[in-house]
Amino acid sequence: MASKVRLYVEHPLGEGQSVPLTREQAHYLFGVMRLGAGDVVSLINGRDGEWDASVEQAGKKGGILLCQVQTAALQPPPDLWFLFAPIRKERTAFIVEKAVEMGAARVLPVQTDYTQAANRVRQDKLQAHAVEAAEQCGGTFVPPVDELAKLGAILKTWPADRQLMFCDEVLIGDPVALPDLRGPWAILIGPEGGFSPAERDLLRGLPFAHPVSLGPRILRADTAAVAALTVWQQALGDWA
């Protein structure tokens, strides 16, 4: 029987492996999706690829799934970090979801001088959005979502070998171009209102930071996130 749903679990996956369900997972599978004994679920855990598992026990407060066959190997994303300044709640969730769908390996919310929504950021909620995005888009890897941190603190401990694509709104109208430097990268998107002059000066003074235009129009922060990921993936990522 073909799988109806995909589910992220923390448990190891492998042939013949039984997977216990939490109360919330059991409610989703058996209460919401109306699955029962013998039905098949696609499982991912971010480490072992995707597995088809059959429902062995179904209850209101729990259940057991049994792994049968691997349907996809783990497909790690490119070595790309995605840094962004949180905005309104629903738009921040959108940014995290799109970063997962488009192949970010790590998601880092950052507090900039003009960030307005920093006090409303919950790491656990954003991680849950990352899990849901991987479940829905067919991914087998779930990137970690970091706790909110100040941009300056992150840059002070930045790995010397990781390049940074700094999306600078003052470059509007300039050609969209990236240096062809292979290896670890990161993308930085600013908040609504952009970066402060001090932040821009700091970034432009860093040897690993590369200011990049995102085209001829002013983009909302959430639109800029998708545009920047597209530019990087097309030039240097696993789309290239």
Side-chain angles (χ1 to χ4, degrees):
M1 186 176 188
S3 172
K4 294 182 178 180
V5 296
R6 298 180 89 237
L7 184 68
Y8 175 86
V9 297
E10 298 286 351
H11 205 274
L13 303 176
E15 186 176 357
Q17 177 72 59
S18 61
V19 179
L21 298 174
T22 66
R23 183 170 186 155
E24 292 76 14
Q25 290 168 337
H27 171 71
Y28 171 66
L29 293 180
F30 312 135
V32 177
M33 300 305 297
R34 301 296 183 184
L35 301 187
D39 286 333
V40 176
V41 180
S42 292
L43 299 180
I44 58 172
N45 63 3
R47 305 182 302 276
D48 300 320
E50 180 187 74
W51 287 78
D52 271 357
S54 60
V55 177
E56 298 298 303
Q57 298 179 24
K60 293 182 178 180
K61 298 183 179 180
I64 300 291
L65 306 179
L66 185 66
C67 291
Q68 299 174 329
V69 62
Q70 188 181 52
T71 53
L74 177 67
Q75 184 180 10
D79 189 359
L80 175 66
W81 296 357
F82 183 76
L83 291 74
F84 74 100
I87 49 178
R88 293 186 302 277
K89 181 178 178 181
E90 69 280 2
R91 306 316 296 171
T92 292
F94 172 88
I95 289 173
V96 172
E97 290 166 1
K98 300 313 162 189
V100 175
E101 292 178 21
M102 298 185 71
R106 182 182 175 190
V107 179
L108 299 88
V110 297
Q111 182 174 349
T112 67
D113 289 345
Y114 296 159
T115 300
Q116 299 294 319
N119 62 343
R120 297 193 293 273
V121 174
R122 285 188 53 182
Q123 184 273 340
D124 59 334
K125 292 289 188 181
L126 295 184
Q127 188 67 66
H129 286 301
V131 167
E132 291 171 4
E135 289 174 338
Q136 294 171 9
C137 76
T140 57
F141 177 86
V142 180
V145 180
D146 288 15
E147 294 278 1
L148 179 74
K150 291 185 177 180
L151 177 60
I154 292 175
L155 294 176
K156 283 182 180 178
T157 59
W158 194 263
D161 66 338
R162 184 172 295 276
Q163 306 300 318
L164 177 63
M165 175 180 164
F166 155 42
C167 301
D168 190 351
E169 67 276 6
V170 303
L171 297 179
I172 185 170
D174 285 3
V176 180
L178 270 172
D180 189 8
L181 300 173
R182 303 289 165 167
W185 269 84
I187 293 171
L188 172 61
I189 297 293
E192 295 169 331
F195 295 100
S196 70
E199 288 169 336
R200 187 171 290 106
D201 289 344
L202 171 63
L203 287 161
R204 286 182 171 271
L206 298 173
F208 52 79
H210 307 276
V212 173
S213 166
L214 292 180
R217 286 168 286 277
I218 296 174
L219 304 179
R220 290 182 6 163
D222 46 348
T223 308
V226 176
L229 285 158
T230 302
V231 167
W232 187 89
Q233 281 282 24
Q234 185 64 43
L236 297 172
D238 56 9
W239 298 5

